[in-house]
Amino acid sequence: MNQATLLFLKDGNRILLAMKKRGFGAGRWNGVGGKPDKGETVNQAAVRECWEEVGVTPAEMKKSAILNFYFPGNKEKFNQQVIVFMCTSWRGEPTETEEMSPKWFDIGDIPYTKMWSDDKYWLPRVIDGEYLEADFHFDNNDGLLDYKIKS
């Protein structure tokens, strides 16, 4: 299974989401992240991707979840294991890039209807400091078929 990273900047009661402008997940709010380059650890990839996508360098980040995503029957998408990090300390100010447009949201106003359909099940728990592992199965139209969260 391919590995990828997902990182969320959290500042008190605010969380940074970024609108994906192109590629896999375009048109959805999400954290920042992507696949590790050859020879790169998942932690190193999370730091690099955060810098590339919103111009911020994480200083303190905590591994918060392992999410397994399955896209059966859809050859354009791929199964992946995503390592989620929460970050509360960083250098730089979030800035728009060619790939992402960042925006701060109050924790109570996260736009779950404009995100991946699984996010509403696990992200609030991770924001609250819970560590979890989960499996999510999608149909060919990115619809969530079923899920299982293990905490």
Side-chain angles (χ1 to χ4, degrees), residues 45-116:
V47 171
R48 176 185 51 77
E49 290 281 354
C50 190
W51 168 251
E52 290 175 358
E53 293 183 348
V54 295
V56 169
T57 302
E60 290 181 35
M61 55 188 210
K62 177 183 174 188
K63 183 177 171 182
S64 300
I66 298 175
L67 308 176
N68 298 308
F69 296 103
Y70 300 95
F71 297 91
N74 192 331
K75 295 185 192 300
E76 291 184 33
K77 297 195 174 74
F78 51 92
N79 299 338
Q80 55 185 324
Q81 181 178 70
V82 176
I83 311 303
V84 179
F85 296 93
M86 292 299 291
C87 178
T88 56
S89 176
W90 57 88
R91 292 183 302 280
E93 279 297 316
T95 306
E96 185 169 352
T97 63
E98 290 181 11
E99 189 168 350
M100 299 290 244
S101 179
K103 181 179 176 183
W104 288 102
F105 289 90
D106 287 334
I107 298 294
D109 294 326
I110 294 174
Y112 288 109
T113 59
K114 296 178 180 164
M115 299 172 74
W116 284 95

